[in-house]
Amino acid sequence: MVQESGKRKRPNILVTGTPGTGKTTMSTSLEEATQLHHINVGELVKEKNLHDGWDNELDCYVLNEDLVCDELEDVMEEGGNIVDHHGCDFFPERWFDLVVVLQTDNTILYDRLSSRGYNDSKLSNNIECEIFQVLLEEAKESYPEDRVVAMKSDTIEDISRNVATLTEWYLSLRCFSSATPHVLKPGDVLRKARLFTEEDVLQFSKVSHDSNPVHTDSAAAQNVGFEGPLVHGMLVASLFPHIISSHFPGAVYVSQSLNFKFPVYIGDEVIGEVQATKLRVNKDRYLAKFKTRCFKNGELIVIEGEAVALIPTLNVE
């Protein structure tokens, strides 16, 4: 999906939707999670005077689309941007690798826009826009449909889930530093993000028959010094075999050491990382050794260890 030719080596993401759906809030969080550059088009228009004056009826600047595109051309070709705007049909299609349309319940949206002091005309226009899914249709008409994704954005929890999903998408694009699938060399890194939910913990408890109440009962967890229910350490560590097998189908796990350093709570977003450290031939397969780590809050290591796997589908650089 990301361009391999030309300048662009990192993806561009467009976050669009009716005003009040949480575009800027989510884009800011996504910027922190991915280190992509957040561009708020509304702020850019004011800062650079990329408009044709003020619209008194709509109570906003009249955006000059040509000026905006000229201003953004170079940075978009470079890649690595999150563009946040309530319109999407005037941007060049080639700019974006993913188009995210945020959607909010009409009652919630009405309250949000009312609290912003929107006048009756502006309020009515935006609510009708959301009811008829104008922005989603606009996105589908302007970009290939497999590049467009709609995301619910009613609550803070929705935003957190959306950021986790988009971070996972971004990290999956980075994959191993080798561009060719099933190619591996020492130093290559693969990451995957996951937000662990209460349902994940309940299902794992059932499958594993681990009935320890610290995983399901807040009071029990707090009684032994934790903030709340814990995600099972082995559930978090399951990111490692998932990462390896998803890129090397048929891989067989040989060993895994684990050191649990900090707790993971329900609702935490965790990034699993495996880094190839050593490769050697074993008959018709390769024996690969990996450094394995899980992070939360960006830098805090919650699990670390080493894994060894037999990989049959591998070319070595």
Side-chain angles (χ1 to χ4, degrees), residues 176-189:
F176 283 100
S177 58
S178 307
T180 307
H182 311 322
V183 174
L184 181 66
K185 66 179 184 295
D188 280 340
V189 176

Side-chain angles (χ1 to χ4, degrees), residues 216-234:
T216 55
D217 184 87
S218 295
Q222 291 167 359
N223 284 341
V224 291
F226 295 107
E227 296 176 11
L230 301 173
V231 180
H232 302 76
M234 297 305 292

Side-chain angles (χ1 to χ4, degrees), residues 16 53 56-57 68 78 93 101 119 135 144 165-166 188 208 223 236 264 273 288 290:
T16 189
N56 289 320
E57 182 179 353
V68 170
E78 187 68 27
E93 177 195 321
V101 183
N119 61 42
L135 269 299
T165 299
L166 294 172
D188 280 340
S208 64
N223 284 341
V236 180
V264 174
E273 175 186 281
F290 298 91

Side-chain angles (χ1 to χ4, degrees), residues 74-219:
D74 289 343
V75 295
M76 298 306 293
E77 288 300 319
E78 187 68 27
N81 301 291
I82 303 164
V83 177
D84 154 18
H85 189 52
H86 56 258
C88 67
D89 59 347
F90 67 92
F91 295 120
E93 177 195 321
R94 59 184 165 80
W95 276 6
F96 297 106
D97 303 286
L98 188 68
V99 178
V100 179
V101 183
L102 298 183
Q103 297 182 306
T104 299
D105 178 86
N106 299 326
T107 302
I108 296 172
L109 185 63
Y110 183 92
D111 292 340
R112 289 180 186 173
L113 298 182
S114 296
S115 68
R116 293 184 181 184
Y118 276 32
N119 61 42
D120 290 343
S121 175
K122 190 174 182 179
L123 185 60
S124 176
N125 285 340
N126 282 293
I127 294 298
E128 287 181 8
C129 181
E130 188 67 6
I131 290 172
F132 293 108
Q133 299 188 349
V134 172
L135 269 299
L136 181 59
E137 292 306 313
E138 183 178 294
K140 289 180 177 179
E141 291 173 3
S142 304
Y143 302 91
E145 195 158 339
D146 63 354
R147 215 182 294 177
V148 178
V149 58
M151 289 184 156
K152 179 183 175 183
S153 185
D154 289 347
T155 65
I156 293 297
E157 290 75 21
D158 289 337
I159 291 174
S160 296
R161 279 191 292 270
N162 293 341
V163 169
T165 299
L166 294 172
T167 301
E168 181 176 347
W169 172 84
Y170 169 63
L171 293 174
S172 72
L173 290 181
R174 294 169 66 185
C175 299
F176 283 100
S177 58
S178 307
T180 307
H182 311 322
V183 174
L184 181 66
K185 66 179 184 295
D188 280 340
V189 176
L190 178 64
R191 301 180 180 92
K192 186 174 183 64
R194 180 172 175 180
L195 188 149
F196 290 95
T197 67
E198 183 178 6
E199 182 63 21
D200 292 331
V201 170
L202 291 174
Q203 291 300 322
F204 189 83
S205 294
K206 291 178 182 178
V207 171
S208 64
H209 299 283
D210 183 347
S211 58
N212 191 332
V214 299
H215 299 299
T216 55
D217 184 87
S218 295

